[in-house]
Amino acid sequence: MTATPQLGTPRLASPDLLRSVFRRHAAGVAVITARGASGPVGFTATSLTSVSAEPPLISFGIGTGASSWPAIAEAEHVGVHILGEHQSELAGTFARSGADRFGAPTSWREGPEGVPVLDDVLAWLVCRIVGRVPAGDHRIVLAEVVLGDPTGAGRPLLYHQGRFNGLRD
């Protein structure tokens, strides 16, 4: 039998405990975009998940207090962008409250279904929203892939310990 290292003192469930645990979880970084009534909206997400291959479904979480939520709540389609390690500044812009996310230096164009598509990403998808599931102070958005492009060059951007990082060999 292998000895188990001494465990720390367990803490009761709380928002702080959840945040502390997930700071230790490395996650890929994506930006979700949509067309809003007043123009394009978007946010940085580390909750992107592949749900199903047939049909091709993805999911992501968004807080109901987020500035992008009203547009996502009404949108029929979203853009999903996988960021490269060269895009930590872009990830920070889309994560920062009050930032001009689509102003310079962000490079983007209107894509299929009117969805804002970011330039120079590793991959992007346009997805049709098929469900919004209540989950505490968030919604889990389920979306079916309509089309995309997986051909961007580079390595993925990761989020770990409250910072954006690249992969290390």
Side-chain angles (χ1 to χ4, degrees):
M1 179 177 250
T2 305
T4 303
Q6 182 65 31
L7 298 176
T9 304
R11 296 171 19 198
L12 292 175
S14 69
D16 182 56
L17 173 63
L18 188 65
R19 283 193 223 43
S20 295
V21 167
F22 273 86
R23 278 188 196 104
R24 295 178 175 267
H25 174 70
V29 180
V31 168
I32 310 298
T33 62
R35 181 177 49 191
S38 301
V41 300
F43 65 98
T44 299
T46 56
S47 60
L48 181 65
T49 304
S50 171
V51 174
S52 169
E54 188 57 45
L57 295 172
I58 59 100
S59 72
F60 60 87
I62 180 172
T64 56
S67 62
S68 296
W69 170 242
I72 300 294
E74 299 295 325
E76 291 184 26
H77 293 85
V78 292
V80 177
H81 307 82
I82 308 300
L83 300 191
E85 63 186 0
H86 62 286
Q87 294 178 302
S88 60
E89 287 184 30
L90 182 67
T93 297
F94 277 84
R96 199 169 32 259
S97 181
D100 181 5
R101 295 173 179 158
F102 291 90
T106 301
S107 180
W108 65 281
R109 65 192 178 285
E110 185 173 310
E113 304 296 340
V115 171
V117 174
L118 302 176
D119 292 336
D120 198 30
V121 294
L122 296 187
W124 60 266
L125 299 168
V126 169
C127 302
R128 182 178 60 83
I129 295 178
V130 296
R132 296 170 184 88
V133 180
D137 62 355
H138 278 62
R139 295 296 181 269
I140 305 301
V141 178
L142 294 167
E144 184 172 8
V145 176
V146 174
L147 57 90
D149 180 0
T151 61
R155 294 162 44 125
L157 183 64
L158 300 177
Y159 187 73
H160 180 251
Q161 293 285 24
R163 294 186 13 227
F164 297 112
N165 300 283
L167 288 175
R168 293 189 183 92
D169 292 328

